[in-house]
Amino acid sequence: MVAPRANWKGYIKFGEVAFPVALYTAASSSERIAFNTLNRKTGNRVRREFVDSETGDPVEREDQVKGFEIDDGRYAVLEAEEVAAAVPESDKTLKMEAFIPCDNVDDVYFDKPYYFAPDKMGSDAFKLLRDGMKKSNVAAIARTVLFRRLRTLLIRPHGKGLVGSTLNFDYEVRSSEKAFDEMPDLKIEGEMLDLAKHILNTKKGAFDPKQFDDRYEAAVAELVKAKIEGRTLPKKKAPPASKPSDLLQALRESAGMSAPAKTKRTAANVNAGKNRQKTARATASKPRSSGGHQQRRAG
């Protein structure tokens, strides 16, 4: 098996202790199915080309330059060497600035994960830092220049090594207040809240990434395979239409409870009904007078 290639090599420094480390990508999309864009008529691949938005003429690479739009159609032009000069200088050192509780950073700040392993020498110092952090249950805030930018990382013990997540800058994280600004101020309590708690308790479990598959990727793979083999392409079944439902009733059904029985008649209503029945029977059984018959005949 070919060993993974390090994306970055440098040093971790805490206090006066420094040791070499190698950084490896922890998550990658390289295994996803990728498509090429083709010319439908010829079947040949097409290539991307930069053209002048006004003249339509192709612009060669050496004639391309960076520009920042300052007004409609007006740009501040930056040469490649000027942009390069803005890249902060790097001494290839991850400086541990603080050790904090592991859950002290809101995960909305997490960007991309990377693995850190000792590079050649320095295994003893690496293990010392890892085990010390494990025992103290802390993570480290560190900073260094990675991929042309000064980045902040949260570094934690992970298995035999360390995992570091680059952190989004504060200006990159949008305020949750704006996202939730239009949320109605509702108070959920009583049976609805009890049912919700019951459902949550019955669904408790542990996260196992192997249980979650990329359905889109699997569907695309099957589509490609069917094309290659000349088979009929799989057809997507129309999802069943969702039915509008009452929230409380939906919670009851989720909890395995049947709908409550219809409201029974009260004792007063029952007695009233019986009294009406007695009165009707008494009236029906009462003998009619002869005078009454005579009056009806005379009429």
Side-chain angles (χ1 to χ4, degrees):
M1 183 176 179
V2 179
R5 182 179 178 182
N7 297 81
W8 178 89
K9 289 187 177 183
Y11 295 84
I12 283 182
K13 183 176 182 180
F14 67 104
E16 297 302 317
V17 179
F19 53 89
V21 292
L23 175 148
Y24 302 91
T25 301
S28 173
S29 60
S30 61
E31 297 300 317
R32 293 179 182 173
I33 293 176
F35 294 106
N36 293 305
T37 302
L38 310 177
N39 183 333
R40 185 189 297 274
K41 295 180 180 179
T42 65
N44 300 327
R45 288 181 59 179
V46 299
R47 60 185 176 86
R48 185 171 295 176
E49 189 174 48
F50 287 91
V51 298
D52 189 294
S53 61
E54 295 294 330
T55 67
D57 297 331
V59 180
E60 299 300 328
R61 190 175 186 86
E62 60 270 17
D63 294 324
Q64 297 171 18
V65 67
K66 302 290 184 184
F68 178 82
E69 189 170 11
I70 56 177
D71 200 354
D72 187 21
R74 294 177 60 240
Y75 298 87
V77 177
L78 299 170
E79 298 294 340
E81 58 272 15
E82 293 174 323
V83 175
V87 176
E89 294 183 2
S90 173
D91 58 1
K92 293 281 188 177
T93 301
L94 262 167
K95 299 180 180 67
M96 302 289 193
E97 298 190 351
F99 292 95
I100 63 175
C102 287
D103 59 354
N104 199 226
V105 178
D106 193 324
D107 55 10
V108 298
Y109 285 90
F110 286 15
D111 181 23
K112 293 181 179 179
Y114 297 93
Y115 294 133
F116 287 96
D119 185 36
K120 298 177 183 178
M121 303 183 340
S123 295
D124 291 345
F126 183 95
K127 292 177 181 177
L128 175 65
L129 175 63
R130 180 200 64 194
D131 294 347
M133 292 172 66
K134 278 184 180 180
K135 191 169 184 180
S136 301
N137 194 29
V138 295
I141 293 291
R143 298 179 67 179
T144 193
V145 176
L146 278 180
F147 317 124
R148 298 169 62 87
R149 297 187 67 180
L150 180 64
R151 299 177 188 269
T152 305
L153 293 93
L154 181 73
I155 300 177
R156 296 161 291 162
H158 186 84
K160 294 181 179 180
L162 299 171
V163 61
S165 299
T166 53
L167 300 179
N168 293 312
F169 291 103
D170 190 52
Y171 76 87
E172 294 176 310
V173 177
R174 295 180 176 179
S175 170
S176 61
E177 292 181 3
K178 294 181 179 179
F180 306 141
D181 187 48
E182 297 183 5
M183 283 281 293
D185 188 14
L186 299 175
K187 187 176 182 179
I188 305 296
E189 54 187 5
E191 183 186 2
M192 293 181 72
L193 187 58
D194 292 337
L195 286 170
K197 289 179 179 178
H198 171 74
I199 295 169
L200 294 179
N201 287 331
T202 61
K203 293 291 185 180
K204 281 185 177 179
F207 174 65
D208 181 2
K210 294 180 181 179
Q211 293 182 353
F212 302 93
D213 56 348
D214 188 341
R215 295 185 180 181
Y216 172 76
E217 193 74 6
V220 172
E222 178 59 28
L223 180 64
V224 171
K225 184 178 180 182
K227 271 280 188 179
I228 294 173
E229 297 175 354
R231 294 188 283 109
T232 302
L233 300 181
K235 293 184 179 180
K236 185 177 181 180
K237 295 181 180 179
S242 60
K243 298 179 181 179
S245 60
D246 176 70
L247 177 57
L248 180 57
Q249 180 57 27
L251 286 169
R252 286 170 176 158
E253 292 174 359
S254 300
M257 299 172 59
S258 59
K262 293 183 178 180
T263 305
K264 296 181 179 179
R265 289 190 297 167
T266 62
N269 289 336
V270 172
N271 293 333
K274 289 181 178 179
N275 291 335
R276 283 194 297 269
Q277 292 176 357
K278 288 181 180 179
T279 303
R281 284 196 297 269
T283 303
S285 60
K286 196 173 184 180
R288 293 171 179 169
S289 63
S290 58
H293 288 286
Q294 290 174 354
Q295 289 177 355
R296 281 194 291 272
R297 283 198 299 270

